Amino acid sequence: MPPLLPKLPSRGEEATDLPGPPANGYTFLPWLLMGTGPVVEVAKGRVAHPVLGGLGILAFAVLYALVAFRALDKRRRTQRSTLAMLGALTAVTYALGLGYGGVWLLFFPLLSLTCGAALRDKRLGYVIIVLAVSVGVISGIKTGDPWDNMTIAYGTFLSGMVIAALLSLSETVRELRDTRQELARTAVEKERLRFSRDLHDLLGHTLSVIVVKSEAARRIAPRDLDAALGQVADIESVGRQALTEIREAVTGYREGSLSTELDRARSALSAAEVEPVVRQSGPPLPAQAEALLGWVVREAVTNVVRHSAASRCEIVVDGTPERVTLTVTDNGRGAPAAPAPTPRIGGNGLKGLTERLAAAGGSLSAGPAPRTGFQVSAELPVDPEDTALDAELTSAPGTH
């Protein structure tokens, strides 16, 4: 059986595991000192049936503490047992107020306090008003002093409403903090995914080019040493460029250029003895669209060099003011014959590019070419405002 009251945190330990704001229900216990007057009257025997009065005070204190702790736990607050305890506390409070009056009516503000903590919904306003009016009536019957009526009624109303507002505000702050932490965690996951995709595409393409050029240098070295040295120089250049791109990818500032990727594609295809055919038409593209299409060219050409055994590869970029289409078609042996276990597009690179283009409102498809070989097709919307902004920044004075 779980303990009725949670343990206090040890010295230096944060009470983050205790229910609800404030940190725990022990902050409600000092308010029980408002019942010191009835305790003194019972101890001195100034009331009728002091034993019954003492039992009433004990019952009130126990029920008050139980309801206060359960009210700070969102799950236990709405349970029927909590509402039953609150009902029993209400009955004890009315019994003591009607039976003794005077300082015993100070139990009503404490009852209102627990109602404000446990009933944070539309019922609370009606309950607090009923408590304030009833304690005012009971006070008027017992004392006949209108000022006492107003004071105890106002105190009862204020204690319930203020504690409800404070607890609701504290829970809102806690939910906002949790939401902020979740958003931060999601942002970190997205950044990790972006970095892993960039690194995969960068290294996959670069290593493929290095392998192809190394094979070419090995083949031609016996008959043409100068041409082989040219391939080695290209390998060095590609390696240095890869180092630069990886550094930029790590810092998050890499922006791909479609024209640069097309030039690299020509070089990589030529080194792999694949005839490159590149056609580009349409208006200038914004930087974001160029970056995305540059990744598509890089990944598609890498797959051609690695897997296609093609002799010809055609890259076509066809743009309009609204949309741009990129198609990479080879005449190789096409897609692998083995079926994939789940529906997907290509490998990790094409799958990641599919998600990127979808996030930008575009699409990516890959499959057998109309005649023979394999075809990768990407379509992306173009925002005219982005194109105009890029053109303005490019032509602005002082732009390098």
Side-chain angles (χ1 to χ4, degrees):
M1 177 182 294
L4 293 178
L5 299 180
K7 295 181 180 180
L8 279 171
S10 59
R11 185 179 296 247
E13 177 186 358
E14 293 186 2
T16 55
D17 58 338
L18 295 175
N24 58 72
Y26 289 98
T27 53
F28 283 88
L29 298 185
W31 292 98
L32 285 172
L33 293 176
M34 293 179 63
T36 303
V39 172
V40 171
E41 288 191 351
V42 169
K44 293 183 177 182
R46 296 177 182 174
V47 294
H49 309 291
V51 175
L52 189 60
L55 292 176
I57 294 174
L58 179 62
F60 181 91
V62 172
L63 289 170
Y64 172 87
L66 291 175
V67 174
F69 278 100
R70 295 173 70 91
L72 295 181
D73 187 337
K74 185 178 293 186
R75 180 181 57 84
R76 301 171 68 187
R77 182 170 64 230
T78 56
Q79 292 179 350
R80 292 184 178 180
S81 56
T82 303
L83 297 178
M85 293 178 187
L86 185 61
L89 180 65
T90 303
V92 171
T93 303
Y94 273 93
L96 295 176
L98 290 170
Y100 297 105
V103 294
W104 296 76
L105 296 178
L106 292 177
F107 287 127
F108 273 90
L110 295 179
L111 173 62
S112 178
L113 196 72
T114 56
C115 289
L119 304 176
R120 279 174 259 172
D121 52 25
K122 296 180 180 179
R123 299 172 296 177
L124 178 62
Y126 301 106
V127 171
I128 297 299
I129 291 175
V130 169
L131 290 178
V133 172
S134 59
V135 72
V137 172
I138 295 173
S139 178
I141 295 174
K142 293 293 185 179
T143 64
D145 189 343
W147 292 108
D148 286 346
N149 301 359
M150 293 180 61
T151 301
I152 192 66
Y154 178 72
T156 299
F157 177 82
L158 194 63
S159 61
M161 298 304 293
V162 168
I163 195 63
L166 289 176
L167 291 177
S168 298
L169 180 61
S170 298
E171 283 195 348
T172 301
V173 171
R174 169 176 287 186
E175 291 174 357
L176 289 175
R177 182 190 62 195
D178 294 341
T179 302
R180 183 180 62 183
Q181 293 175 351
E182 179 65 21
L183 291 175
R185 185 186 63 81
T186 303
V188 170
E189 290 180 353
K190 288 183 177 179
E191 183 61 18
R192 286 175 178 171
L193 181 60
R194 181 201 68 81
F195 179 73
S196 65
R197 288 171 176 170
D198 287 358
L199 200 59
H200 170 272
D201 295 340
L202 283 171
L203 292 180
H205 174 79
T206 302
L207 293 177
S208 297
V209 173
I210 290 175
V211 169
V212 169
K213 287 185 173 291
S214 299
E215 292 177 349
R218 178 178 54 82
R219 287 197 308 267
I220 66 177
R223 63 178 185 271
D224 190 346
L225 184 58
D226 291 337
L229 290 176
Q231 294 291 341
V232 172
D234 288 344
I235 293 173
E236 180 183 0
S237 175
V238 169
R240 294 184 183 278
Q241 182 63 30
L243 288 175
T244 302
E245 290 177 347
I246 289 174
R247 293 191 188 102
E248 292 175 351
V250 170
T251 55
Y253 294 117
R254 183 180 190 275
E255 290 187 359
S257 169
L258 182 57
S259 59
T260 302
E261 294 299 338
L262 291 175
D263 291 339
R264 292 175 181 171
R266 289 190 185 96
S267 176
L269 292 170
S270 298
E273 298 183 350
V274 179
E275 179 189 357
V277 179
V278 179
R279 299 189 183 94
Q280 185 174 8
S281 62
L285 300 175
Q288 182 182 8
E290 283 212 4
L292 288 172
L293 294 180
W295 283 114
V296 176
V297 170
R298 175 184 288 261
E299 182 63 28
V301 170
T302 300
N303 290 338
V304 171
V305 172
R306 282 180 177 178
H307 311 298
S308 70
S311 61
R312 187 174 187 271
C313 179
E314 183 177 359
I315 305 173
V316 178
V317 181
D318 185 13
T320 67
E322 292 80 21
R323 301 190 73 83
V324 59
T325 303
L326 168 68
T327 305
V328 180
T329 309
D330 65 74
N331 63 348
R333 58 193 173 198
T342 54
R344 54 183 296 182
I345 298 179
N348 291 332
L350 289 180
K351 182 175 184 293
L353 288 174
T354 303
E355 296 173 356
R356 289 189 188 186
L357 266 69
S363 61
L364 180 71
S365 60
R371 296 180 181 177
T372 181
F374 197 74
Q375 184 179 79
V376 176
S377 180
E379 187 174 0
L380 194 65
V382 177
D383 190 346
E385 295 183 359
D386 291 343
T387 305
L389 179 60
D390 287 344
E392 182 179 349
L393 292 175
T394 303
S395 60
T399 301
H400 298 287

